[in-house]
Amino acid sequence: MTEWDVKKLRILRTLRDRGTVTATADALLMTPSAVSQQLSNLAKQLGVPLLEAQGRRVRLTDAAHLVLRHAEAVFARLERADAELTGYLRGEAGEVRVAAFATAVPALVVPAVQRLRADGRPGPEVRVREAEAAQAFELLAAAEADLALSLAAHAPTARDPRFSVLPLLADPLDVALPAGHRLADAPGLRLADLSAEPWIFGGSEPWSEITVSACRAAGFVPEQAHSASGWTAILAMVAAGLGIALVPRMASAERHGRDGVVMRVLDADRPRRHVVAAVRRGSEDAPAVSRVLAALREAAEPYGDGAEPYGDGAEPYGDGAEPYGDGATVQ
């Protein structure tokens, strides 16, 4: 019977994910020669070629992809075994490392940690790391995080065998208008009503994609008047009458006031961004991870398509409406 070396299989999987021997070596804290030697030994153990030259690089053979299809099931079973063993030894205690994009930290992760501390039971210690939406999955794959919060638009497909991706929140996008704007108190405001307005996009790529996609779905291409990567700058420009902007409700809820900005909930064509939680496949049953996931779901409940979150819809921040304010990179 063939001997399967899990360590070498992980190196092969990392090469598939990273693309080059050098990147694989960097990710695994190995030398490129050590990576090559380990994969050569694995090929000898399995009796099949795993790599073939492609110019100055190497590519995985069909046999390597076949091996990895089966290896993913093994990795998931090992994650599940580790989760059950940890639960047996430590219950809900232990460390859970959470990688989350900027606006998810104050809106979801911090409230979740507060819930865990307030319920009086011994529980997991949560360690938080802010990460770009796409980077969170890299940390998860490299076992540098146990749970990732990201945007569904930047999550792997459902067929990716490495992860279990769990829907967490459909976050509505509201529109920020200058106080005194002709549509600031218009009833039944729709995104399509704003097609002729100058728009302010977040400077980061994900937010630009979300804004443009939302506007296109409403039937128009937005005119980008200004670009900024932080909510302080974006709302300052809105308050000054330089343009309007889409704002995720999750980003607005934890921030303090800014005069001169009116937040409006959009009507029929209200766009949303979808927030997901992800773990390495097989680890979702670990008691500590499950408890953190449950706390995150509770923290996500206040966001969504409930009643008007900004009073009557025409109040600027600082005058009794939901607070907003400065800070993080647009995510």
Side-chain angles (χ1 to χ4, degrees):
M1 182 176 178
T2 302
E3 291 188 11
W4 297 89
D5 188 319
V6 173
K7 179 180 178 180
K8 293 185 178 69
L9 289 172
R10 291 191 188 279
I11 295 173
L12 182 64
R13 180 172 68 166
T14 304
L15 176 60
R16 178 200 64 192
D17 296 340
R18 299 286 176 150
T20 67
V21 171
T22 300
T24 299
D26 290 341
L28 298 177
L29 302 179
M30 301 172 64
T31 64
S33 60
V35 168
S36 298
Q37 182 179 12
Q38 291 291 313
L39 293 178
S40 177
N41 291 339
L42 179 61
K44 291 177 182 178
Q45 287 176 341
L46 300 180
V48 293
L50 298 175
L51 305 176
E52 58 188 17
Q54 186 178 48
R56 299 180 62 182
R57 304 176 65 175
V58 295
R59 63 182 293 272
L60 272 62
T61 64
D62 291 342
H65 287 290
L66 182 153
V67 166
L68 284 175
R69 282 199 300 273
H70 291 281
E72 292 294 353
V74 174
F75 295 142
R77 293 294 298 181
L78 290 174
E79 287 283 355
R80 189 167 291 111
D82 186 62
E84 291 184 10
L85 183 60
T86 300
Y88 174 79
L89 294 173
R90 308 185 67 175
E92 293 182 344
E95 182 180 86
V96 177
R97 299 162 299 169
V98 178
F101 62 99
T103 54
V105 174
L108 297 177
V109 181
V110 171
V113 173
Q114 291 172 329
R115 280 176 166 81
L116 291 171
R117 291 180 174 178
D119 69 7
R121 293 184 293 156
E125 177 185 353
V126 179
R127 295 178 64 87
V128 183
R129 177 170 176 176
E130 184 181 315
E132 295 285 341
Q135 183 196 14
F137 284 97
E138 296 178 3
L139 295 171
L140 194 60
E144 295 180 28
D146 304 302
L147 193 155
L149 293 185
S150 185
L151 301 178
H154 296 274
T157 68
R159 297 182 63 186
D160 191 319
R162 297 173 297 169
F163 307 115
S164 291
V165 180
L166 314 169
L168 192 63
L169 169 67
D171 189 21
L173 307 182
D174 302 321
V175 65
L177 301 173
H181 189 280
R182 61 185 177 83
L183 296 175
D185 57 359
L189 183 65
R190 300 182 56 168
L191 188 57
D193 298 332
L194 302 165
S195 60
E197 299 292 325
W199 284 82
I200 304 167
F201 300 177
S204 61
E205 195 63 30
W207 194 243
S208 294
E209 292 174 6
I210 289 171
T211 300
V212 172
S213 296
C215 292
R216 284 178 174 166
F220 68 97
V221 176
E223 174 200 348
Q224 186 174 23
H226 307 281
S227 176
S229 61
W231 296 117
T232 300
I234 289 173
L235 291 178
M237 287 190 280
V238 171
L242 301 182
I244 66 174
L246 282 177
V247 179
R249 193 170 298 170
M250 192 176 77
S252 68
E254 299 296 329
R255 302 180 186 275
H256 56 76
R258 175 171 293 280
D259 293 332
V261 176
V262 173
M263 293 303 302
R264 286 298 311 273
V265 173
L266 294 164
D267 201 36
D269 54 3
R270 183 184 306 166
R272 298 164 180 81
R273 65 173 187 173
H274 294 268
V275 180
V276 298
V279 296
R280 287 184 299 279
R281 192 177 298 276
S283 69
E284 57 268 32
D285 295 329
V289 172
S290 295
R291 192 166 167 200
V292 174
L293 278 170
L296 287 168
R297 291 190 183 98
E298 291 178 11
E301 288 176 0
Y303 306 105
D305 297 324
E308 291 276 337
Y310 309 108
D312 63 8
E315 289 291 326
Y317 286 122
D319 294 321
E322 281 292 327
Y324 208 95
D326 53 22
T329 299
V330 175
Q331 286 189 27

